[in-house]
Amino acid sequence: MKMIFKPLALSLLMTSTLTSGYVLASTDNEAPFAIINQLQQNGADISVSSETLALFANHPKLSGLALNTEVDLNYARLADEISDYTTPLPRGSQLEMSDFERQTLTAYLDSPTDAVLAKFLALYYLNRSLVNEWLVPSKGQALKNSILVDYFFNRVDELNESERWTKRLKKINSTKLHPYFSSVNLTNNEDKAVHQQFYETFNYDESRRFETAAALLDDFAQDPSNIFTAFLNKAVNTWIGGEADFDDPSALHNFLIASYFSDYTLRMAKRMESAWQQDNTNERFRLAPILGGLSVMDRGWLAQLHQDDNAQLALNDEHRQWFNLHPMFHSFTVGASFFTSTENFMEGFFAWGSVLTTSCPEVRTCLDRPRFSFNLLGMIVGYTDYLVKLGAIEDARTLLTYRYNPAFEFENWTIGQEAWLHRENNLEAIAERYHNDDPSDDPNFFFLADRKWGGQTSTCQSCHQAQNRHWTDEEKAQVMPHTDDILTIGTWPEISTTWYGMSKNTCDGAATWEYGDVYTAGDIVQLNGMKYQAKWWTNAQWPESSRQWDVWAPVGSCNTPL
């Protein structure tokens, strides 16, 4: 709402005339029909309908026949030094993406109800997915693209635009994905080389973020049993997506990958706790208590993108349950999420303040530690923002004098210093913007950055980068576990939306299929909008991979009564 927006022009390098008779502008081999032909040549059964081919050919964003070169006036005004100020963060690298992919993703994000674009993007990523993994440089990249394919085909289903070929290819892709997310024997090793690479990147050398994200995907593809690797795949993508440029469409990749892995990690952590309850020699996942709120934030961005109000309400309720389980950590996630909400602002204020007004126990989410550093400066500035928006300007001014406390070591918090001083020097102007009855020019919260799509996102570096602080290798290696009362969840909050942030279809009350749950003959479950009935006892067979003689029989979509 407040940033300068300069739309990219399509880079049209060639025009391909294919055997179908349609003429389509493209970049190299990225024309829709070239993609379809390549998939057919590589053995995937496509059979895309002629109607869909015609829609691809005539779609202005795919054909290049009607390029938008006008500046969107909503984003064209000059940035305002008060309203548009965002905490400055270093970035030493940038993801490379073709102009065609960037432009097509942008078109979809501008109109996420465009089923034609969703179908095309499903095919686009299918061409470089696990379905054709021999064509992809790394298995991790193929895995990532298959997750994107799953999203776009699910989106087609949500828009009630499914066709026979979309259902077939969705199932083929799902069958390829399933083995990576159905490990029988989970491992919890935290000392793999790629884990150390993540720590170094997340805390000390942010310029390796994209390299580390690719390495984590590759490692998970080689060893999908490791739940900690799954968690770090979620973490690195939440970080990258949250700090993407205002109009960078690759943020969609990041939040989808983060959401997929957080959904999986939540389910596996719950399974580990269940095994521990049966035999306490088994391990629990030590980061389970912080998973929920982080997952809610990823799905919340997607729910806002889809403008799914019911999903957003459900996510708020889910978030509250996680806060009640572990308020010391989820004070941050709830406080950051509720800051811009008129209805939930005071709830966010009290959640955020609970950390600063409570004697902090000796747990990792309260301490400034080298493995996952937590930034007291950010918590103070965040509370200052809440106070100013609340109208308590003098209280905010007093709080900002804390930087003179020698124990605070203000000079070591190099990333956040400018944002702190910005508030010191502009407190009245900031307060005026909050209280002028025009929410469109409200200043940004310390930890939030504007996005063109999907609402604001939380940033990580000011909290987690070491900045001007130093630790020994022994200190870096020290793991700070949660206390037992926090580590055991007990009653796990239900995942309130689909993994991609849409409202769950009630599906006639059918339970969502869960890996490891026991089902007996006649049980009905739902998965990805379809209902399945068990023929006999099972606890691990994935419904979407069942064939005629397997345990699960499809009995219709969630829109079809039994």
Side-chain angles (χ1 to χ4, degrees):
M1 66 181 178
K2 313 161 193 169
M3 308 290 285
I4 298 173
F5 173 50
K6 298 179 179 178
L8 297 170
L10 273 175
S11 198
L12 302 176
L13 304 182
M14 64 178 288
T15 299
S16 299
T17 305
L18 301 171
T19 55
S20 62
Y22 295 110
V23 178
L24 194 74
S26 71
T27 61
D28 297 327
N29 294 320
E30 293 188 322
F33 302 116
I35 292 170
I36 294 167
N37 286 349
Q38 187 175 354
L39 282 165
Q40 289 173 326
Q41 292 167 11
N42 295 328
D45 182 11
I46 301 300
S47 301
V48 177
S49 67
S50 59
E51 292 81 6
T52 297
L53 292 176
L55 290 171
F56 285 165
N58 294 317
H59 196 291
K61 294 296 184 181
L62 297 175
S63 68
L65 297 176
L67 296 179
N68 176 20
T69 58
E70 296 181 0
V71 175
D72 187 335
L73 295 179
N74 289 322
Y75 304 101
R77 67 178 176 82
L78 293 175
D80 182 281
E81 64 180 9
I82 300 299
S83 295
D84 298 328
Y85 181 86
T86 301
T87 304
L89 301 170
R91 172 131 46 96
S93 57
Q94 181 63 50
L95 179 71
E96 293 184 4
M97 178 182 287
S98 75
D99 288 344
F100 183 84
E101 181 180 6
R102 183 178 297 277
Q103 194 73 354
T104 309
L105 268 180
T106 296
Y108 170 76
L109 287 165
D110 285 341
S111 182
T113 57
D114 190 327
V116 175
L117 285 173
K119 290 175 184 179
F120 172 73
L121 284 163
L123 286 175
Y124 179 85
Y125 292 111
L126 191 73
N127 208 36
R128 297 175 290 169
S129 69
L130 293 169
V131 175
N132 286 331
E133 64 180 273
W134 59 89
L135 298 175
V136 187
S138 73
K139 186 165 285 190
Q141 183 64 40
L143 179 67
K144 171 184 174 180
N145 287 337
S146 274
I147 293 171
L148 300 180
V149 170
D150 190 61
Y151 164 72
F152 283 111
F153 277 139
N154 274 305
R155 191 71 185 131
V156 171
D157 291 346
E158 297 277 359
L159 296 170
N160 296 315
E161 293 288 347
S162 302
E163 299 181 59
R164 185 172 298 176
W165 68 268
T166 66
K167 294 176 181 178
R168 182 174 62 256
L169 291 180
K170 178 184 176 183
K171 184 172 183 178
I172 291 172
N173 181 68
S174 295
T175 302
K176 293 287 187 177
L177 263 178
H178 173 61
Y180 294 91
F181 296 94
S182 58
S183 296
V184 175
N185 299 312
L186 295 174
T187 60
N188 197 23
N189 170 23
E190 296 187 24
D191 296 323
K192 302 181 78 170
V194 73
H195 300 163
Q196 303 309 313
Q197 180 178 337
F198 173 84
Y199 293 136
E200 288 298 315
T201 303
F202 196 54
N203 290 298
Y204 303 99
D205 184 7
E206 59 78 24
S207 67
R208 299 183 66 193
R209 64 181 73 184
F210 297 105
E211 172 192 343
T212 299
L216 283 164
L217 276 170
D218 285 339
D219 194 86
F220 182 82
Q222 295 299 322
D223 178 17
S225 68
N226 191 295
I227 187 173
F228 200 73
T229 308
F231 170 77
L232 294 185
N233 270 286
K234 176 265 178 296
V236 74
N237 278 282
T238 297
W239 168 29
I240 293 173
E243 295 182 7
D245 289 339
F246 169 72
D247 58 352
D248 183 352
S250 71
L252 178 63
H253 288 187
N254 299 122
F255 287 116
L256 289 172
I257 302 306
S259 291
Y260 200 93
F261 274 99
S262 60
D263 180 89
Y264 171 70
T265 309
L266 274 168
R267 290 186 285 108
M268 294 305 100
K270 181 179 179 181
R271 183 176 135 198
M272 289 179 68
E273 183 176 289
S274 177
W276 171 82
Q277 288 171 334
Q278 297 174 34
D279 179 357
N280 63 13
T281 62
N282 291 316
E283 285 187 279
R284 289 165 290 177
F285 184 52
R286 71 176 180 85
L287 296 178
I290 73 172
L291 279 171
L294 295 174
S295 171
V296 166
M297 295 180 82
D298 298 327
R299 286 178 285 135
W301 186 87
L302 293 166
Q304 290 183 71
L305 170 68
H306 302 140
Q307 297 183 12
D308 189 333
D309 294 339
N310 290 332
Q312 293 179 58
L313 290 172
L315 286 165
N316 287 343
D317 287 340
E318 182 184 345
H319 213 165
R320 294 179 179 104
Q321 294 177 59
W322 283 106
F323 176 79
N324 290 334
L325 285 166
H326 189 2
M328 295 307 295
F329 177 80
H330 289 105
S331 60
F332 170 82
T333 60
V334 168
S337 298
F338 286 0
F339 182 82
T340 58
S341 167
T342 302
E343 297 81 6
N344 302 320
F345 175 79
M346 290 306 301
E347 188 177 355
F349 170 71
F350 288 119
W352 194 272
S354 65
V355 171
L356 298 176
T357 58
T358 302
S359 177
C360 190
E362 292 294 306
V363 295
R364 60 177 295 282
T365 51
C366 274
L367 298 176
D368 174 21
R369 300 298 304 166
R371 183 172 281 240
F372 280 112
S373 166
F374 286 82
N375 186 334
L376 180 59
L377 180 146
M379 297 303 293
I380 292 175
V381 178
Y383 199 57
T384 299
D385 288 347
Y386 261 110
L387 288 171
V388 175
K389 190 172 181 178
L390 191 62
I393 300 173
E394 293 309 313
D395 289 339
R397 196 188 312 278
T398 300
L399 187 59
L400 289 173
T401 64
Y402 190 75
R403 74 178 176 95
Y404 298 107
N405 184 339
F408 181 41
E409 299 181 339
F410 180 76
E411 67 278 3
N412 287 337
W413 303 99
T414 52
I415 292 179
Q417 286 177 11
E418 181 187 311
W420 184 298
L421 296 175
H422 169 78
R423 285 157 175 80
E424 271 192 12
N425 297 329
N426 299 283
L427 206 59
E428 287 78 11
I430 293 170
E432 188 276 328
R433 300 300 171 87
Y434 278 131
H435 298 285
N436 65 1
D437 296 325
D438 180 9
S440 70
D441 67 356
D442 280 4
N444 288 313
F445 187 61
F446 178 80
F447 282 107
L448 296 180
D450 277 333
R451 293 287 167 263
K452 184 183 177 186
W453 312 282
Q456 293 183 314
T457 56
S458 175
T459 59
C460 293
Q461 281 192 77
S462 58
C463 193
H464 289 294
Q465 282 285 309
Q467 301 171 64
N468 200 33
R469 294 161 297 154
H470 304 279
W471 292 280
T472 65
D473 289 342
E474 290 75 16
E475 288 173 323
K476 291 180 184 180
Q478 182 181 4
V479 175
M480 182 68 67
H482 289 293
T483 55
D484 195 69
D485 60 321
I486 293 175
L487 183 57
T488 303
I489 305 299
T491 302
W492 286 68
E494 180 184 357
I495 299 174
S496 62
T497 68
T498 64
W499 72 264
Y500 47 91
M502 289 292 293
S503 298
K504 285 184 175 179
N505 195 315
T506 57
C507 209
D508 300 319
T512 301
W513 177 83
E514 294 281 354
Y515 182 89
D517 284 359
V518 172
Y519 302 100
T520 56
D523 284 348
I524 304 288
V525 298
Q526 61 165 308
L527 183 65
N528 291 330
M530 291 293 295
K531 290 181 288 198
Y532 300 87
Q533 185 170 37
K535 302 176 190 175
W536 53 80
W537 185 97
T538 179
N539 75 331
Q541 178 70 46
W542 193 44
E544 288 188 338
S545 67
S546 279
R547 299 184 183 276
Q548 182 179 359
W549 308 113
D550 293 329
V551 59
W552 292 106
V555 291
S557 71
C558 284
N559 298 320
T560 305
L562 289 174

